[in-house]
Amino acid sequence: VKTDLSVLPKVKDIYITMLPGDDFREVSSIAKELVHSGFNPVPHFPARSIKNLAELKDFVTRCRDGGVKQALVIGGSAQPIGDFHCSLQLLETGLFDGLKIGIAGHPDGSPDISNSDLEKAMIDKKPYAHYIVTQWLMETDSIVNFISKQTLPVHVGIAGPLKIGSLIKFASIVGAKNSLSFLKSNAGKALDLLKPRDPNDIIDKLKGSTNNFHIYTFGDLKEVNKWLGENNYA
């Protein structure tokens, strides 16, 4: 979760990933620093990476005290380290009341959860949420279909301008089946695997369905900043 403010994209909302093994105290500290720097930090609260209610209270309190106004509440890693096994459990505590809440959407499905369980979870979480952030995707049919079924605003996850070879690797990790097939079928010549893919391809195809996009940088902030500037997004 370490970050360098000097290389952050010139956008307002900055999401702070909490990966398995990360310290929630460091996440909340970074969030506080971002608030003081004029950003709107959105820390991740991954249910399966939080030990118990006391730790969750501490995490939320630290973020609130630091000026955080928004949070992304997700399931997180496959194996729980404590008492929580799903994001709904976090939401039901009431600790997030007053914050703007995002929840996860999986138009491409999940390698850990069945489609029927995903659909039920979405129904159960919606009363607590203000918007949905999807997994990052490259195949637009599943996104359009997903958006058409929602009653909340959908922020579509898109990958930054990464090389297709790197995107295939990440798609395999997150289980984005349709996007993985799309990338493999469109890789074409071996040389294409070395060329950065333009995120505008998917943005243009989704005009009319959504104007909200969530950029997954995969750590390549330099290329994302360059792309944002070239397209007047920042």
Side-chain angles (χ1 to χ4, degrees):
V1 297
K2 293 182 180 179
T3 190
D4 179 356
L5 295 182
S6 66
V7 299
L8 287 177
K10 295 178 181 178
V11 294
K12 187 69 174 178
D13 299 340
I14 301 291
Y15 285 70
I16 309 172
T17 304
M18 180 173 162
L19 297 172
D22 283 347
D23 189 335
F24 72 90
R25 299 171 188 84
E26 186 176 0
V27 173
S28 57
S29 178
I30 291 173
K32 181 178 180 179
E33 185 178 0
L34 288 170
V35 169
H36 289 166
S37 298
F39 293 97
N40 175 45
V42 187
H44 288 195
F45 286 81
R48 290 184 283 274
S49 293
I50 298 173
K51 293 179 182 178
N52 49 45
L53 183 61
E55 183 169 289
L56 176 62
K57 286 182 178 178
D58 191 7
F59 190 4
V60 174
T61 298
R62 287 171 183 267
C63 288
R64 283 189 188 274
D65 290 348
V68 169
K69 305 295 183 184
Q70 190 170 341
L72 182 64
V73 182
I74 59 176
S77 60
Q79 297 301 320
I81 66 168
D83 297 339
F84 302 114
H85 61 80
C86 69
S87 55
L88 180 62
Q89 290 176 300
L90 302 191
L91 295 168
E92 289 177 334
T93 65
L95 292 172
F96 296 93
D97 290 355
L99 296 177
K100 182 178 181 180
I101 299 299
I103 56 175
H106 299 84
D108 250 4
S110 169
D112 304 313
I113 309 171
S114 69
N115 288 340
S116 59
D117 285 344
L118 282 173
E119 188 170 346
K120 182 181 185 305
M122 180 63 71
I123 293 171
D124 292 341
K125 292 184 294 184
K126 277 183 178 180
Y128 301 93
H130 299 89
Y131 67 103
I132 300 167
V133 178
T134 76
Q135 65 199 127
W136 71 269
L137 301 162
M138 300 300 298
E139 198 283 312
T140 57
D141 289 346
S142 60
I143 304 173
V144 173
N145 182 53
F146 178 83
I147 293 173
S148 70
K149 297 178 180 179
Q150 307 310 318
T151 56
L152 294 175
V154 177
H155 294 207
V156 174
I158 58 174
L162 272 74
K163 298 178 180 65
I164 290 182
S166 298
L167 292 175
I168 290 174
K169 179 182 72 173
F170 286 119
S172 300
I173 292 172
V174 301
K177 302 184 294 295
N178 293 334
S179 293
L180 181 59
S181 298
F182 175 86
L183 286 167
K184 287 182 175 179
S185 64
N186 286 272
K189 301 176 183 177
L191 184 61
D192 289 340
L193 296 174
L194 304 176
K195 295 178 181 178
R197 182 174 177 81
D198 187 351
N200 281 309
D201 291 347
I202 194 168
I203 291 175
D204 290 341
K205 291 178 181 178
L206 290 174
K207 286 179 179 177
S209 295
T210 184
N211 291 315
N212 301 310
F213 295 93
H214 177 87
I215 304 173
Y216 289 84
T217 67
F218 300 111
D220 199 343
L221 291 172
K222 182 178 178 181
E223 281 299 319
V224 170
N225 276 332
K226 179 183 177 183
W227 175 78
L228 287 169
E230 289 174 349
N231 291 275
N232 297 315
Y233 292 140

